[in-house]
């Protein structure tokens, strides 16, 4: 009976959602609003009778899966490379917007005499713009390729990251019931460690794994492997006390850097659309029309605050980062809405039972209104910018342009100083990442130590028991990170010493003074790193005599294998850099071949030639997908066959990989084949 009820409820949801979204598509409105309206129709608050038999048990689990797919899909659109291009602007604008909107939302909640927790969640709900809605609006308007769109995407990426941190913070605050600075700092620290470990380990392991699975040329295998990783990382996040949205978003961001990302996005598209539809329908089912009528005044006020506040905050943040008034205004007016993250935050408050029931329908209604306004605001940005230029040429606009010119002059410093600062920032980031990875490693070691102490009780206590072995294994695994951190610190200390003590000031004692400063910095920071490692591993540290003996063993291993440890770290660094710097052309599904006339086909190929060439192991094409080579675009020749170990593959797809020793069959004219031979090496 339960299976029949599930089938009936799912059928009703999909039928109603399908009918409503067809209408919304014809009206050229976002289908997300159609899903929410469908949820309102079939929800428990809609008369005259109840559509669904058991909406809570049936829909909540499916909606949770919808959150996983929704956040996974957002992660697939996440790009570290795009973020690097607009990094400063994105960080400044997103941070300013979130801080302002959280504060304004909290003040509005208190103005309406809502509780502190309701007000805090309202501020968080209002602070995050909708990635899916903005991408859809810019796509429909044909403005994806413009400069302000790239800035918007960068801001959205930073907002998504900060939203994940905000969800973790809100969960911690809701469970503890306090705003303790120590608790917030601890939450942020553990979250940073978790992000660094998952992203680094994931970028080193997931792309090679997906590349291996893709070699079998089975869409089914690739899809199942992808879903296994998606739900697996989501489960790890939940087990560690974070939201399922965090794990799904992170694994999506990791897979976005794999060369199979485009194909993965195509494979999961249908599954994602289905479960995401269920999620948004579940959002609509929680709306109580009576509460919407009762709270219409807060809805109107909050909607106005979202539009005005986000336009002002994002425009100001983009402008402060050094962009012109026109571009800044376009960015601000493109981000004036709330969406899927707001639903997740509102649902979090209900799940934790810390917010009032009226907050969720208010958030959904405000999102629906601002979603409807988004295309019109984007269209109105150019006329408003033109009006601003016409009315303020001699006043405010001149001042704003002068600020931009001053900021540009300020960024122009001595080339040598800029290079030193850039180098120090790079080393500081690498040291911070190494420390985060060390923290994650010893946190895991502490967790394993508890299990080892419970299940292995035969070792003498004076040895430290199984915990000592866990600590020794963790230290040996951490040696590449410790060696790399020491080398980075030593190089940074030397650079800082040389920059801070010029030869004109030090005179004959310059070398000695630089040595003192450099060694002091190196010893101080290295001591801090060692104390941090000991603090993290305090629960698994062996007794002092055993600790000293093991430390000597670890030091000897480090000295003997110093070169090997440096190479291991360098290889991991190269692999990580290659993953983040290799461009992967978007996946294009193969179109059905048009019908051809057998009599005209030979005339079409009268100038074409076939040639088979072996692919040497030193070829740059070895190990790459056909679509990565872009051979037809570069040379005009096409790969029409591959022979590998006596097996022929006719008409290979764009996602087939070329391996050393393959015999590649090329089709093209004489000059095209010659160019292809050169390209394939």
């Amino acid at each position: 009976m339960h299976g029949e009820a599930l089938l009936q409820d799912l059928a009703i949801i999909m039928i109603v959602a399908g009918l409503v979204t067809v209408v919304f598509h014809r009206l050229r409105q976002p289908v997300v609003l159609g899903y929410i309206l469908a949820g309102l129709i079939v929800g428990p608050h809609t008369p005259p009778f109840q559509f669904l038999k058991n909406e809570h048990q049936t829909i909540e689990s499916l909606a949770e899966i919808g959150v996983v797919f929704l956040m996974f899909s957002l992660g697939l659109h996440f790009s570290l490379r795009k973020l690097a291009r607009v990094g400063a602007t994105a960080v400044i604008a997103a941070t300013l917007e979130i801080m302002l909107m959280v504060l304004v939302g909290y003040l509005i909640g208190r103005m309406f005499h809502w509780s502190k927790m309701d007000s805090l969640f309202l501020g968080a709900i209002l602070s995050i713009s909708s990635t899916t809605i903005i991408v859809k609006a810019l796509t429909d308007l044909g403005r994806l390729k413009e400069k302000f769109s790239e800035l918007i995407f960068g801001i959205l990426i930073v907002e998504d990251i900060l939203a994940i941190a905000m969800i973790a913070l809100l969960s911690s605050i809701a469970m503890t019931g306090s705003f303790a600075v120590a608790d917030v700092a601890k939450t942020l620290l553990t979250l940073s460690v978790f992000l660094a470990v998952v992203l680094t380990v994931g970028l080193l392991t997931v792309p090679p794994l997906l590349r291996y699975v893709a070699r079998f040329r089975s869409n089914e295998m690739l899809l199942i492997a992808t879903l296994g990783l998606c739900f697996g990382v989501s489960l790890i996040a939940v087990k560690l006390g974070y939201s399922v949205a965090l794990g799904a978003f992170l694994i999506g961001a990791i897979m976005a850097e794999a060369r199979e990302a485009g194909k993965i996005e195509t494979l999961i598209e249908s599954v994602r659309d289905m479960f995401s539809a269920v999620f948004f329908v579940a959002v609509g089912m929680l709306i109580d029309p009576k509460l919407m009528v009762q709270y219409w005044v807060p809805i109107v006020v909050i909607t106005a605050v979202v539009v005005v506040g986000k336009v002002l905050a994002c425009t100001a943040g983009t402008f402060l980062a050094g962009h012109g008034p026109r571009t800044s205004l376009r960015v601000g007016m493109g981000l004036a809405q709330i969406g899927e993250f707001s639903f997740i935050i509102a649902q979090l408050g209900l799940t934790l039972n810390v917010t009032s029931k009226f907050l969720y329908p208010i958030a959904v209604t405000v999102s629906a209104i601002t979603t409807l306004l988004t295309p019109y605001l984007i269209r109105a940005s150019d006329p408003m910018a033109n009006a601003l230029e016409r009315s303020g040429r001699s006043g405010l606009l001149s001042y704003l342009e002068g600020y931009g010119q001053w900021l540009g002059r300020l960024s122009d410093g001595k080339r040598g100083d800029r290079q030193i600062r850039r180098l120090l920032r790079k080393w500081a980031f690498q040291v911070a990442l190494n420390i985060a990875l060390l923290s994650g490693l010893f946190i895991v070691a502490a967790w394993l130590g508890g299990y080892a102490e419970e299940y292995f009780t035969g070792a003498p206590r004076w040895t430290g028991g199984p915990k000592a072995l866990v600590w020794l294994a963790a230290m040996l695994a951490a040696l590449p990170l410790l060696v790399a951190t020491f080398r980075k610190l030593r190089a940074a200390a030397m650079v800082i010493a040389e920059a801070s003590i010029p030869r004109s000031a030090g005179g004959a004692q310059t070398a000695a003074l630089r040595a003192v400063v450099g060694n002091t910095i190196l010893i101080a920071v290295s001591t801090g790193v060692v104390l941090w490692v000991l603090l993290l591993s305090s629960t698994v540290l062996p007794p002092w005599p055993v600790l000293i003996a093991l430390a000597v063993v670890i030091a000897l291993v480090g000295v003997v294998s110093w070169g090997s440890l440096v190479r291991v770290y360098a290889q991991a660094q190269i692999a990580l850099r290659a993953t983040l710097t290799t461009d992967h052309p978007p996946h294009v599904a193969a179109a059905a071949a048009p019908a051809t006339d057998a009599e005209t086909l030979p005339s079409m190929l009268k100038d074409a030639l076939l040639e088979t060439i072996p692919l040497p192991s030193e070829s740059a094409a070895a190990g790459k997908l056909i679509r990565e080579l872009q051979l037809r675009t570069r040379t005009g020749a096409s790969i029409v066959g591959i022979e590998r170990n006596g097996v022929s593959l006719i008409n290979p797809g764009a996602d087939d990989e070329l391996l050393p020793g393959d015999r590649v069959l090329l089709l093209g004219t004489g000059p095209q084949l010659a160019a292809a031979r050169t390209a394939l090496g």
Side-chain angles (χ1 to χ4, degrees), residues 141 143 329-330 333 373-387:
L141 296 174
R143 309 190 70 171
L329 185 60
R330 283 175 167 179
M333 297 186 72
L373 294 176
T374 295
Y376 303 102
L377 289 172
I378 295 175
R379 289 193 188 101
S381 61
D382 285 335
M384 287 194 65
N386 294 334

Side-chain angles (χ1 to χ4, degrees), residues 637-651:
S638 299
I639 298 177
V640 296
I642 300 173
E643 182 182 352
R644 180 179 302 155
N645 299 327
V647 179
S648 297
L649 174 62
I650 305 301
N651 193 22

